[in-house]
């Protein structure tokens, strides 16, 4: 066992086997864990930390603390006051950026530069929504004579947030900042696989001035703490990011109490490359879109659709990009790191081995450096051409595995792009302006990028899916509508 660096984990409640052990953050106070879950570092396979294994009792207390916050100082706060606290928190996060980035990098295995970008994104979420908090206005409706009708915007109440392990820090910012800006009190159940940074961020939120109970964090297993939270009668909204299977359970639980849900359930996002495109730029983007975060991104570009007439040159460019990939542990700051755990590694390796067994052509496969045998690494691999009914086209792999499909003409490109159950993100590469517009309309997806992909993940840009990728919008001002409601006040003064 390798001793952890205490400076990275100042808010650990205890130390156990030389590893930090965290409690739950309920009502701005730490609650010792009555049971624990071990966390492993994906890059080394070694023990990293201990998390509380919360359940129904901790969730009850967290929901009660949130309810009390709404009845107290937090519920009485003005929008401007809330905005100032969110912005103070953003500044505090930035001042701890390096430490938080290392916590995130060790916990997820991602390259340190990516982890730093993720922490800056957390600050940006709280800055953006902090600035927006007092700029969300209601409206006055011209109605009958002698009536004044105001439509005012109000928080939903207690919001529940269930987040995944691929971007623990970013998800913290993405889901909590809009909810808190609108005056809700939140309970977060982050993923048990990786969430140390959420606990450190939670501690900084207390320092930044969020009143007791405005933000509560209970860690634990999905089927225990997660299920207890989504079924709890005291919550008024659920935001969930994760698998479609659990998304269905979350929506079923929410239906019991008729509360709204935002579901972000991943995708099988295509990039469509036409013969007239800048093939060099497209190849670079296609490689990055499937290898960033080792392919563990809901919006990963996991399919590339290539027009037949440029198949050979494009395949050459793609093979060169994959051949140049650097794979390593966070400290090496390579292009990609390991997957999150042995289960995900086995799952993705199975996809690769099954495809090879089915004699699917391998276009290119990068090599994992031999010194990294203990981490959960998977070699980035491109298969193609792949038929539309192949599992690599239909199922979310959630690893660095790209499926290449071939098309002739616009209609076939659209049919293939829309040919899965998902609809999260799409990329279109063409210099033809009219075709850009046609494709943007014909592709069924929450986002369409033209001659780019991802565009830096801007906080300002509404994000979410259609079809099996989920519903509701996060990011941008659109997120504020999901976590608030309107009240129509009709005043007769005649
Ligand atoms: N859209 C995205 O960003 C993500 C998609 N996934 C997809 O899901 C696959 C499996 O990954 P998992 O970690 O198993 O995802 P998951 O959907 O089981 O986990 C996501 C979150 O849901 C919680 N959860 C699990 N069961 C729950 C339940 N019954 N009630 C309430 N909450 C529950 C987990 O504790 C975690 O916080 C991946 O291979 C990938 O395809 C996984 C993570 C993120
Ligand atoms: O995993 C889903 C995911 C992660 C990050 C982003 S973005 O950086 O905000 O674009 C989007 C989706």
């Amino acid at each position: 066992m390798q001793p952890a660096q205490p400076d990275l984990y100042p808010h650990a409640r205890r130390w156990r086997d030389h590893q930090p052990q965290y409690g739950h953050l309920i009502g701005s106070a730490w609650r010792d864990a009555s049971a624990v879950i071990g966390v492993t570092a994906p890059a080394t396979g070694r023990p990293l930390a201990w998390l509380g294994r919360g359940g129904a009792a901790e969730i009850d207390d967290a929901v009660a603390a949130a309810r009390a916050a709404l009845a107290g100082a937090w519920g009485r706060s003005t929008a401007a006051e809330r905005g100032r606290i969110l912005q103070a928190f953003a500044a505090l996060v930035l001042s701890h950026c390096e430490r938080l980035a290392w916590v995130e990098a060790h916990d997820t295995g991602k390259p340190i530069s990516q982890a730093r970008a993720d922490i800056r994104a957390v600050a940006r979420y709280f800055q953006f929504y902090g600035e927006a908090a007092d700029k969300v206005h209601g409206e006055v409706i011209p109605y009958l004579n002698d009536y004044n009708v105001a439509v005012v915007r109000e928080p939903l109440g207690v919001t529940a947030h269930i987040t995944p392990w691929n971007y623990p820090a970013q998800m913290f910012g993405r889901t909590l900042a809009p909810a808190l800006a609108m005056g809700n009190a939140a309970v977060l159940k982050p993923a048990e696989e990786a969430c140390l940074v959420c606990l450190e961020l939670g501690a900084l939120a207390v320092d930044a001035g969020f009143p007791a109970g405005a933000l509560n964090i209970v860690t634990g297993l999905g089927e225990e703490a997660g299920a207890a939270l989504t079924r709890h009668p005291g919550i008024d909204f659920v935001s969930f990011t994760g698998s479609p299977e659990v998304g269905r359970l979350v929506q079923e639980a929410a239906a019991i109490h008729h509360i709204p849900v935002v579901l972000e359930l991943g995708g099988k996002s295509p990039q469509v490359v036409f013969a007239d495109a800048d093939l060099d730029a497209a190849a670079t983007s296609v490689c990055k879109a499937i290898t960033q975060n080792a392919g563990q991104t809901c919006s990963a570009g996991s399919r590339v659709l290539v027009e037949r007439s440029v198949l050979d040159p494009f395949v050459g460019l793609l093979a060169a990009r994959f051949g140049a990939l650097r794979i390593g542990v966070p400290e090496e700051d390579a292009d990609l790191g390991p997957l999150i755990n042995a289960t995900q590694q086995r799952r993705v390796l199975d996809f690769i081995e099954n495809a090879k067994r089915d004699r699917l052509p391998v276009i290119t496969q990068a090599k994992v450096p031999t010194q990294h045998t203990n981490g959960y690494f998977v070699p980035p691999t491109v298969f193609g051409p792949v038929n539309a009914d192949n599992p690599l086209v239909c199922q979310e792999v959630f690893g660095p595995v790209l499926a290449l499909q071939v098309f002739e003409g616009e209609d076939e490109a659209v049919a293939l792009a829309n040919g899965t159950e998902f609809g999260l993100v799409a990329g279109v590469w063409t210099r033809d302006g009219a075709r850009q517009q046609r494709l943007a309309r014909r592709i069924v997806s929450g986002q369409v990028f033209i001659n780019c992909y991802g565009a830096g993940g801007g906080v300002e840009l509404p994000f979410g899916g259609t079809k099996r990728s989920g519903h509701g919008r996060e990011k941008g001002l659109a997120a504020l509508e999901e976590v608030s409601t309107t009240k129509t006040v009709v005043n007769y003064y005649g």
Side-chain angles (χ1 to χ4, degrees):
M1 243 173 299
Q2 181 167 286
Q5 297 151 265
D7 291 354
L8 290 187
Y9 309 101
H11 298 97
R13 294 290 288 156
R14 297 165 189 279
W15 286 74
R16 178 184 174 132
D17 300 335
H18 306 290
Q19 312 302 343
Q21 177 180 321
Y22 282 87
H24 311 283
L25 193 55
I26 299 176
S28 292
W30 288 102
R31 169 85 52 91
D32 274 335
S34 52
V36 290
I37 304 168
V39 180
T40 302
T44 60
R46 293 200 193 110
L48 180 66
W50 300 91
L51 290 176
R53 181 174 168 177
E58 288 80 2
I59 291 293
D60 263 346
D61 291 349
V63 173
R67 193 58 61 199
L70 291 173
W74 184 241
R76 286 192 301 273
S77 63
T78 65
E81 285 164 352
R82 289 197 302 275
R84 278 195 290 275
I85 298 176
L86 265 81
Q87 291 178 68
F89 178 60
L92 202 52
V93 169
L94 282 182
S95 71
H96 286 256
C97 181
E98 192 60 16
R99 175 175 74 79
L100 294 170
W102 279 108
V103 172
E104 184 77 327
H106 290 312
D107 203 12
T108 60
K110 63 180 72 185
I112 183 63
S113 295
Q114 175 65 58
R116 287 188 187 114
D118 287 359
I119 302 302
R120 287 194 296 271
V122 179
R124 176 77 186 118
Y125 276 112
F126 277 87
Q127 182 71 30
F128 178 82
Y129 288 110
E131 287 169 357
D134 62 356
K135 295 172 191 66
V136 179
H137 300 152
E139 56 183 350
V140 174
I141 296 182
Y143 191 51
L144 305 173
N145 285 341
D146 298 338
Y147 281 84
N148 184 37
V149 179
V151 181
V152 293
R153 197 157 274 282
E154 297 187 338
L156 292 172
V158 176
T159 54
H161 306 259
I162 300 194
T163 55
W165 39 260
N166 50 349
Y167 291 85
Q170 277 213 41
M171 296 293 165
F172 182 103
R174 187 164 106 183
T175 188
L176 291 174
L180 293 167
M182 292 310 290
N184 300 285
V187 179
L188 170 69
K189 204 304 280 177
E192 55 272 39
E193 290 84 357
C195 68
L196 299 177
V197 79
C198 298
L199 294 156
E200 287 295 336
L201 284 166
L204 292 181
V206 175
D207 295 346
F210 281 101
L215 167 58
N216 307 277
I217 306 177
V218 176
T219 58
L221 303 176
E223 58 273 29
E224 295 177 357
L229 179 57
T230 56
R231 286 201 207 106
H232 201 287
I235 63 167
D236 302 295
F237 164 87
V238 188
S239 160
F240 171 80
T241 300
S243 62
E245 294 74 21
V246 175
R248 182 179 305 119
L249 297 178
V250 169
Q251 187 152 14
E252 282 169 4
I256 299 170
H257 304 293
H258 301 290
I259 59 170
V261 230
V262 167
L263 298 180
E264 206 275 80
L265 308 176
K268 200 69 221 181
S269 299
Q271 295 213 58
V272 188
V273 182
F274 284 93
D276 68 341
D278 177 342
L279 297 185
D280 254 319
T284 301
S285 166
V286 166
C287 178
K288 181 160 185 239
I290 188 60
T291 53
Q292 173 168 347
N293 213 37
Q296 305 167 114
T297 304
C298 48
S299 50
S302 50
R303 294 189 291 146
V304 60
L305 281 45
V306 186
E307 194 156 23
R308 188 174 298 283
S309 61
V310 290
L311 181 60
D312 287 346
F314 189 75
V315 159
L317 292 169
L318 210 50
R321 301 296 186 285
F322 275 76
L325 282 173
R326 295 169 304 121
I327 303 166
V329 298
E331 294 81 351
E332 291 169 309
D333 208 13
D335 298 308
L336 69 153
L339 300 197
I340 192 72
N341 59 23
T343 308
Q344 287 299 116
Q345 181 193 38
R346 187 63 260 158
R347 187 172 177 276
V348 177
L349 288 175
D350 282 349
F351 271 106
I352 295 175
E353 284 159 19
N354 291 342
K356 286 184 175 172
R357 194 200 54 218
D358 294 344
R359 302 198 182 289
L360 213 55
V362 176
I363 290 176
T364 179
Q365 183 164 53
K367 284 209 169 11
V368 175
T370 47
Q371 70 269 27
H372 294 319
T373 46
N374 292 328
Y376 308 124
F377 291 89
V378 167
T381 311
V382 184
F383 287 98
V386 185
N387 290 333
D389 58 354
N390 190 281
L392 289 184
V393 167
C394 308
Q395 294 175 25
E396 186 174 55
V397 175
F398 230 56
V401 181
L402 178 67
L404 183 145
Q405 298 174 268
V406 184
F407 69 89
E408 279 181 67
E410 221 170 279
D411 286 344
E412 193 182 9
V414 170
L416 290 178
N418 290 339
T420 74
E421 294 181 300
F422 296 99
L424 189 57
V425 177
V428 178
W429 293 84
T430 176
R431 289 187 166 100
D432 179 335
R435 175 185 278 158
Q436 292 169 359
Q437 294 303 316
R438 284 193 298 273
L439 269 279
R441 281 164 179 70
R442 292 180 71 191
I443 291 179
V444 182
S445 177
Q447 290 74 217
V448 179
F449 290 93
I450 298 168
N451 293 330
C452 60
Y453 193 86
V459 165
E460 303 83 353
L461 313 181
F463 180 84
T466 57
K467 297 159 72 180
R468 212 179 174 216
S469 291
H471 49 79
R473 291 292 175 266
E474 297 185 287
K475 303 173 64 169
L477 296 179
L480 296 174
E481 292 181 15
E482 303 283 355
V483 289
S484 61
T485 186
T486 59
K487 180 183 282 170
T488 308
V489 182
V490 182
N491 185 351
Y492 175 65
Y493 58 84

